[in-house]
Amino acid sequence: QVQLVESGGGLAQPGGSLRLSCEASGRTFSSYAMGWFRQYPGKEREFVATYRRNGGYTYYADSVKGRFTISRDNAKTAVFLQMDSLKPEDTAVYYCALGLRLISSTLRNPTAYDYWGQGTQVTVSS
């Protein structure tokens, strides 16, 4: 059974930084995309960033480009999200996701992902 385990959420001040981690276990994957979505209360999950193993490409939402950086651990099926210059509007529950059959046009669509983490709260407040 595939599990995604997240860690690293918490409280940060505006302009501060947080780093999220997510590791997959339960099977090995040769081709996948792994990334992050976030969800505001009463809203749909929205795309934040993803890493596509085939080619090593990274993709970002416009709202986080230049502030957030997604990276991976080559030895594991794991990704990290370094969040800098945080803003109060970044406050949300962040979810790690892994998809096995994604193409470029579906990378930002949460329904295209197969596995999800439990979510971790990120709060940006002074």
Side-chain angles (χ1 to χ4, degrees):
Q1 183 176 356
V2 175
Q3 282 191 311
L4 302 184
V5 178
E6 303 156 352
S7 61
L11 175 66
Q13 292 190 337
S17 299
L18 285 172
R19 180 177 168 90
L20 305 182
S21 301
C22 177
E23 183 173 354
S25 63
R27 59 173 278 194
T28 57
F29 305 93
S30 59
S31 176
Y32 61 88
M34 193 168 178
W36 297 90
F37 289 76
R38 64 188 179 188
Q39 190 167 22
Y40 301 106
K43 301 291 187 181
E44 300 287 326
R45 288 183 190 182
E46 69 173 36
F47 172 75
V48 175
T50 201
Y51 160 73
R52 187 176 181 183
R53 190 176 189 278
N54 287 1
Y57 297 109
T58 56
Y59 304 82
Y60 296 93
D62 289 343
S63 59
V64 306
K65 202 173 293 184
R67 301 188 298 120
F68 291 9
T69 304
I70 190 169
S71 60
R72 72 201 187 279
D73 184 328
N74 288 331
K76 308 174 186 177
T77 306
V79 292
F80 311 94
L81 187 68
Q82 178 66 39
M83 303 186 294
D84 298 318
S85 302
L86 283 163
K87 303 176 180 180
E89 52 263 43
D90 294 319
T91 297
V93 178
Y94 284 69
Y95 293 90
C96 178
L98 188 150
L100 303 178
R101 290 167 294 275
L102 296 169
I103 58 177
S104 296
S105 60
T106 63
L107 284 167
R108 292 172 169 80
N109 184 347
T111 64
Y113 286 74
D114 300 282
Y115 303 101
W116 291 86
Q118 76 282 6
T120 185
Q121 177 69 45
V122 169
T123 302
V124 183
S125 175
S126 55

